[in-house]
Amino acid sequence: MLLDIKQYLIERQHASLRDIALHFDTNPDAMRGMLEIWINKGKIRKCDAAACGGCSSGCEVAKQDEAYESTERRIQVTPVVFHSR
């Protein structure tokens, strides 16, 4: 489940604790503990609404609810097509 949480935040970039807990059908307090594991590894950070007004993406979620964002960015992979001669 920890990898799923990290992947969820990489894909969404940021989300409130309420949204993450709802997505994984988990108690927010239990989810906070799981998020803390990724925070300690530097893969996720808690948004500081007081310092920046929300997540780095400019969302308003952190002002309304505890919010988190991924420190990793989603990589877009473009398929390469090889033509035979």
Side-chain angles (χ1 to χ4, degrees):
M1 183 175 204
L2 286 173
L3 289 174
D4 294 333
I5 294 167
K6 183 175 92 165
Q7 187 61 38
Y8 178 78
L9 280 169
I10 288 171
E11 289 174 6
R12 292 200 48 177
Q13 295 301 305
H14 61 277
S16 70
L17 175 63
R18 181 176 48 234
D19 288 343
I20 301 166
L22 187 63
H23 179 81
F24 290 100
D25 193 27
T26 305
N27 177 294
D29 289 330
M31 183 56 64
R32 190 178 288 116
M34 289 183 262
L35 289 165
E36 193 66 35
I37 292 169
W38 288 121
I39 290 170
N40 291 337
K41 292 179 180 264
K43 302 296 183 183
I44 290 173
R45 69 177 150 242
K46 186 174 179 181
C47 297
D48 185 1
C52 68
C55 296
S56 63
S57 62
C59 71
E60 296 292 317
V61 172
K63 292 180 181 178
Q64 302 162 12
D65 187 19
E66 190 173 321
Y68 297 85
E69 66 181 349
S70 173
T71 59
E72 299 178 13
R73 297 297 171 230
R74 189 174 177 190
I75 299 171
Q76 295 290 339
V77 178
T78 306
V80 176
V81 179
F82 294 98
H83 299 281
S84 58
R85 293 183 174 201

